[in-house]
Each structure stands twice: as C-alpha cells, then as structure tokens.
Amino acid sequence: MQISEIGEFGLIKRVTLGAFSGPGVVEGIGDDTCVLDVDGSLQLLVTIDMLVEGSHFLRDKITPYQLGRKALAVNLSDIAAMGGQPKFFLVSIGVPSSSPVEYVDEVYRGMKDLANRWEVSLVGGDTVHSEIMVVDVTVLGLAAKDEILLRSGARPGDMILVTGHLGASAAGLELLLSSRGKDPGRDTSCRDAGSANPVSGYERYEERVLQAHLEPDPRIPEARVIARTGGATSMIDISDGLTSEINHICERSRVGARILADRIPIDEATLAVARSLGKDPLCWALNGGEDYELLFTVRPGAVDGIIKAVREATGTQVTAIGEIRPQEEGVSLVHPGGEVQRLEARGFNHFIAHS
Ligand code: ADP
Ligand code: MG
C-alpha cells in the first residue's frame, strides 16, 4: 500500500497504534499539543512541527529570517490553541553544507526575535547535514489544569467563534506563487518605515496578505484570555483551514456543526487580492490554511463576554460564525441564499494530491 492511499492522518494513526502510554499522559496524540501531568496544578504542553524545503517553503519565496520566525510561530500557535503559555523551545536543523552561514544566522535571528517577544527560552536542539533545509521546532508550555482547552469539549448548542480573519495567508501564498509574486521574500518586518517608498492602496493589500503568510503572529494573549474567562469549551488553531479544523473539533467532540458562510470574517486586503487574481476568497478562508487564528466553541451565554474580553485585552476582533449541532447533522456550511453545503475535511494533508 502506498502512503498516499491513507494520507497523513491515516499514517499517523497506523504507526502510533499500540505505542506505550503511561499514567502521566493526560492527552496523548490527537490534539494541538499533548498534555502531561508533571506535578501540582500546572500541566506540561509539548508540541513539535517541522518545516521542510520544497514541502512547506521554497527558498526563493521566503527570507531565512521569515523562515525561522515562522517555524517558531506555528509551534507557539499550537501551545496557544490549548490555552497555554509557551516557555521553552528546542530547534533541530538540517542544512546543506554549501549553505552560507549567514543564511542560518538569519533563520535564528527570526526565531530569536519572536522568542524575545514572547519570552520563550531556547534550551536545545540538534544540527545535522541534509540535502535540503529542514527546521524542526519543539515548544514546551504550561497551563493551569482547569484552563486547558481540548478539541473534545464542544457540545451541541455551543457557538463557534474565530479570532481575526481568514484566508489572508492563502491569498499571500497565491500571490507568491503567481507570476506577480516573483520578487517576494520581502521582509516586511525589517522595512524602515521612514524611508520606505510610498505604496499604493492595492500594494498595501498585497503586502498585508504576504505578511499574513510569511510572518504569522501566534494568538498567545488572545488564547490566554479565552481560557481564563471560562465559558469556552474547545479550541484549535487554524493551520490546515477552517473546514479541516472544524472537522477535527467535531470528530473529537462527537458533534456536528453549522457554519454561516456570510459570517466568516475575510478582510478587505484578502478580498482585493482575490478580485485581482480572479479567485474565490471564501474558498481560501475554508481550505487555505496557515492563518494561525483560533477556532473555538463557547457556551451560548458566554459569547458576548468573551468577545468583549478579547477585544479589551488585545484589540483583536472575535466573530461568531456558527453553532455546534448534534453529531447526526454532520458539518455543514449555510450560504446566504439558504443553500446547505456539506463541509468535508479538505484542508492540507501531506501525501494526498491537491488540485
Ligand atoms: P497540528 O496540525 O496541530 O500540528 P498534526 O496534524 O501535525 O497536528 O498531528 C496530529 C497529532 O498526531 C498530534 O497529536 C501529533 O503530535 C501527532 N503526530 C503527528 N505525527 C506523528 C508521528 N510521526 N508520530 C507520533 N505522533 C505523531
Ligand atoms: Mg494545531
């Protein structure tokens, strides 16, 4: 049998079946991070995510600074998705020996900038030769036992909420891969604001979606507020697209969901780039992925309080986009005209061909 026949998740299930799992494992494989009982009221969260050249990034489409930053950001996002606080990280790199040392310097500068910002300490890693560039980051975080938000806590009647907006990262990727994205790897974070050339309205939109793709910001403080406020029942970060993530929550919680298409927040930059490229922004929001926003469910009475608390503490917008339903109803998307579409997981899956 070929791996492509079972896909990424089928492979994970198959190879991890029967592995030893002792009493300290509160939550093992299957959530954004594992949850481990160490001692006392805090639990340890650990997550690992790898970025591979050719599979996750192309060297001429992302600066090494952005690559390092993103490798850490996607892992911080997984800790955030549990309601936790990231504390420590380890980095394994595979580098071709022909690579300039300065390339690796820049990868680490990107990681260190983000690590300083969130006060996450680099505590180890591994360095090997490899034909292609690989950056593999492990992050350890902590969370109070009673504040951890799993994928499995959603119940029928809960509302479905999302932070920020969706589809911008896919818009950025599309732009990078289109003929118009030939000069990217523009390192927007390093631009000297004072001396920058004036940019037009549309260029600013392009910059914004490129930044969403190349320099995602993990929603750490937003997640802490959501976890601390109470009222939230489950949470996941959007790495593979809304469709895929809502299906993960529904599978683990044994529930269904109904999402309203016209409630899905898509920002004006994404809409403008979609218009210009002749693409469907809703499709990006549903299946694009890499937005690293938080998708979470909330008891109906707590919705307004959580939206307000997140906005007041972080300035980030939170939008209610649907409702958790009984499992028999499945996962569906309701269009403004009333047409109901089944939402089957079609987000990114390694080993499965994408059209
Ligand atoms: P995420 O999208 O949040 O990064 P993944 O889809 O990569 O999560 O992984 C799903 C679950 O499977 C996680 O609990 C992860 O730790 C686990 N997992 C993934 N690959 C492996 C592997 N090769 N061996 C053991 N566990 C794995
Ligand atoms: Mg995740």
Side-chain angles (χ1 to χ4, degrees):
M1 180 169 55
Q2 296 212 320
I3 292 175
S4 59
E5 290 172 46
I6 54 173
E8 177 187 352
F9 299 114
L11 182 65
I12 295 171
K13 251 188 207 146
R14 181 184 164 106
V15 298
T16 56
L17 194 73
F20 176 75
S21 182
V25 182
V26 179
E27 194 69 26
I29 292 162
D31 217 302
D32 291 297
T33 76
C34 61
V35 180
L36 308 175
D37 236 338
V38 264
D39 206 8
S41 61
L42 288 179
Q43 284 176 327
L44 180 64
L45 311 173
V46 190
T47 183
I48 181 164
D49 249 315
M50 174 161 53
L51 296 184
V52 177
E53 183 177 353
S55 197
H56 297 95
F57 66 93
L58 299 170
R59 258 203 211 222
D60 59 345
K61 300 287 188 190
I62 187 166
T63 67
Y65 177 92
Q66 290 167 331
L67 174 63
R69 190 187 180 285
K70 188 166 177 175
L72 179 59
V74 303
N75 281 282
L76 296 181
S77 177
D78 275 320
I79 299 283
M82 305 297 286
Q85 188 70 46
K87 290 286 184 190
F88 313 102
F89 73 112
L90 299 93
V91 185
S92 292
I93 50 168
V95 207
S97 33
S98 58
S99 260
V101 176
E102 290 75 13
Y103 188 93
V104 186
D105 285 344
E106 278 295 291
V107 171
Y108 272 74
R109 190 171 68 84
M111 271 191 291
K112 288 187 285 193
D113 272 2
L114 196 63
N116 284 344
R117 179 161 154 215
W118 297 111
E119 300 185 342
V120 189
S121 311
L122 177 62
V123 294
D126 198 16
T127 305
V128 299
H129 162 76
S130 151
E131 295 302 320
I132 51 168
M133 185 78 200
V134 178
V135 187
D136 190 11
V137 174
T138 301
V139 176
L140 294 91
L142 293 172
K145 255 182 197 168
D146 53 0
E147 288 180 3
I148 291 178
L149 287 169
L150 302 177
R151 298 175 176 185
S152 54
R155 296 294 170 260
D158 288 353
M159 297 299 286
I160 303 168
L161 278 67
V162 68
T163 58
H165 45 77
L166 302 181
S169 177
L173 177 62
E174 191 82 34
L175 209 55
L176 277 182
L177 299 180
S178 76
S179 52
R180 291 160 51 186
K182 275 205 176 119
D183 59 336
R186 283 180 268 182
D187 194 341
T188 49
S189 66
C190 297
R191 172 136 34 125
D192 176 354
S195 65
N197 294 328
V199 286
S200 74
Y202 181 71
E203 278 174 10
R204 198 163 289 131
Y205 287 149
E206 287 196 339
E207 299 241 320
R208 220 192 288 163
V209 299
L210 284 172
Q211 186 169 8
H213 184 73
L214 296 168
E215 296 169 32
D217 267 326
R219 296 296 199 184
I220 297 168
E222 290 82 357
R224 296 289 305 126
V225 174
I226 293 164
R228 229 181 295 125
T229 315
T233 52
S234 72
M235 187 149 71
I236 189 169
D237 70 325
I238 302 190
S239 50
D240 298 337
L242 175 62
T243 303
S244 173
E245 314 305 352
I246 190 64
N247 271 283
H248 283 316
I249 285 187
C250 288
E251 252 169 57
R252 302 281 293 181
S253 302
R254 301 175 197 281
V255 294
R258 190 168 60 194
I259 289 177
L260 304 178
D262 60 356
R263 298 281 174 82
I264 297 174
I266 301 177
D267 75 345
E268 54 182 343
T270 306
L271 294 173
V273 172
R275 256 195 314 276
S276 145
L277 296 179
K279 297 284 178 174
D280 178 8
L282 181 62
C283 189
W284 283 340
L286 290 172
N287 304 316
E290 294 209 281
D291 284 311
Y292 299 104
E293 295 292 353
L294 299 168
L295 178 69
F296 58 108
T297 57
V298 174
R299 279 191 283 275
V303 171
D304 293 343
I306 285 202
I307 291 178
K308 188 160 172 270
V310 174
R311 192 181 50 235
E312 281 176 2
T314 67
T316 301
Q317 151 199 321
V318 172
T319 313
I321 59 169
E323 191 189 325
I324 294 295
R325 307 289 301 171
Q327 189 170 29
E328 314 80 78
E329 291 187 25
V331 184
S332 59
L333 180 73
V334 183
H335 289 276
E339 183 206 338
V340 179
Q341 177 192 340
R342 261 193 89 79
L343 274 189
E344 274 152 35
R346 284 205 307 146
F348 190 78
N349 182 319
H350 284 275
F351 311 113
I352 303 276
H354 294 267
S355 51

